[in-house]
Amino acid sequence: MPTLTTSGRAPRPRPAPGRVLRNTVLVVTSLIWALPTWLLLVNALVPAADYSGEPHWWPQGFGLFDNISQAWTQAELGPAMGNSLLYAVTSATAAILVATMAAFATVIMPVKRKTLWFWLIYSGTLLPLQVFLRPLFLAYAGTGLYDAQFGLFLVYVAIAVPFAYFIMRNFALTLAPEIIEAARMDGASWWRIFWQIHVPLSWSAMVAAFVFQFVAVWNDLLFGITLSTSSNIRPVMAALAELQGNYSSVGPPVVLGGALLVSLPTVVLFFSAQRFFVSSLRLHG
């Protein structure tokens, strides 16, 4: 029987040392992870005219909207964000569709050498992207794809497919094979099984893969500055990098204000998709 205190209530159990240590590590790790974001916000708030050249750790005035306005005008962020939105949505959608088809073929359909097909497709993620820059630049310059939206679209689809395939293949491995066997016994074709059974069951994984690839394409800088030069073609990170090279004219607070602005679409997409993930888990649970 538990010992009662003078107030007649049982004393609260002390937290285990392991739990306290775990919570402390989580809090410290979270603070370290949030530190760059804090510095971004604080220095983006500083009016450009009042910036002394040293980073601020605490808010010094409020010039965020003026900084964003200057970044929007001087870097032409409006057209650049439109370009990145076009690239991210179309290339991520195409990559997810291709990856879902590949996962269906190598997991659900009776094909030979499934492991070999997996490594052939997934190997696209094993090499650093920098090794593709020079050959792509030379090939694009000789074929007319340089500084063209379709050229960037092709690159983004190509680099997005391997990781999207990794996600979709792992998800396809968790699906019950009895569903496909029953559909085949009823005379359904592979094409019908893919669109009417596999895609609806894989919808949550497709959304997760889409979010990953959208963020990757939106944040791309290497291919944007290598394969485009025109303001109506270049993605938003290339435009922001050009603004960052003009410290003497705009100042770091303007650059940080622009960086804060261009990060908003990915943040909004992430939280919107997070709600979808929860609803999908409840639906399939």
Side-chain angles (χ1 to χ4, degrees), residues 4 19 34 50 106 113 158 175 199 207 212 220 266:
L4 299 179
R19 183 177 180 183
D50 299 338
T106 57
R113 300 179 178 87
L175 299 178
V199 169
V207 172
F212 282 121
D220 171 70
T266 56

Side-chain angles (χ1 to χ4, degrees), residues 62-215:
F62 187 84
L64 177 62
F65 296 139
D66 291 336
N67 295 336
I68 292 178
S69 177
Q70 291 186 52
W72 180 274
T73 303
Q74 298 197 29
E76 299 181 3
L77 291 183
M81 291 180 70
N83 293 333
S84 285
L85 182 63
L86 175 65
Y87 300 143
V89 172
T90 57
S91 61
T93 301
I96 299 308
L97 181 59
V98 172
T100 305
M101 289 182 173
F104 180 79
T106 57
V107 175
I108 306 300
M109 297 180 67
V111 299
K112 297 180 180 179
R113 300 179 178 87
K114 295 185 177 183
T115 303
L116 176 61
W117 282 112
F118 165 74
W119 284 110
L120 283 177
I121 300 174
Y122 184 67
S123 61
T125 64
L126 302 181
L127 295 175
L129 297 179
Q130 288 83 349
V131 303
F132 302 111
L133 293 180
R134 178 176 172 79
L136 274 175
F137 175 80
L138 296 177
Y140 272 39
T143 57
L145 291 175
Y146 180 77
D147 200 26
Q149 289 183 334
F150 185 67
L152 285 174
F153 166 78
L154 290 178
V155 170
Y156 290 141
V157 172
I159 64 176
V161 165
F163 185 72
Y165 168 73
F166 177 78
I167 296 176
M168 299 310 303
R169 175 185 178 273
N170 288 347
F171 184 82
L173 290 172
T174 65
L175 299 178
E178 293 81 7
I179 300 176
I180 305 300
E181 294 174 359
R184 291 294 293 171
M185 292 181 62
D186 290 339
S189 64
W190 288 115
W191 189 251
R192 184 178 180 183
I193 292 174
F194 174 76
W195 286 110
Q196 297 187 3
I197 298 178
H198 185 75
V199 169
L201 291 176
S202 306
W203 190 246
S204 59
M206 294 173 68
V207 172
F210 176 85
V211 172
F212 282 121
Q213 302 312 319
F214 181 97
V215 173

Side-chain angles (χ1 to χ4, degrees), residues 87 140 144-152 226-234:
Y87 300 143
Y140 272 39
L145 291 175
Y146 180 77
D147 200 26
Q149 289 183 334
F150 185 67
L152 285 174
T226 304
L227 303 178
S228 66
T229 56
S230 303
S231 59
N232 62 329
I233 302 296
R234 65 184 180 182

Side-chain angles (χ1 to χ4, degrees), residues 74 241-251 255:
Q74 298 197 29
E242 184 176 340
L243 178 67
Q244 188 175 0
N246 298 327
Y247 270 8
S248 59
S249 60
V250 297
V255 178

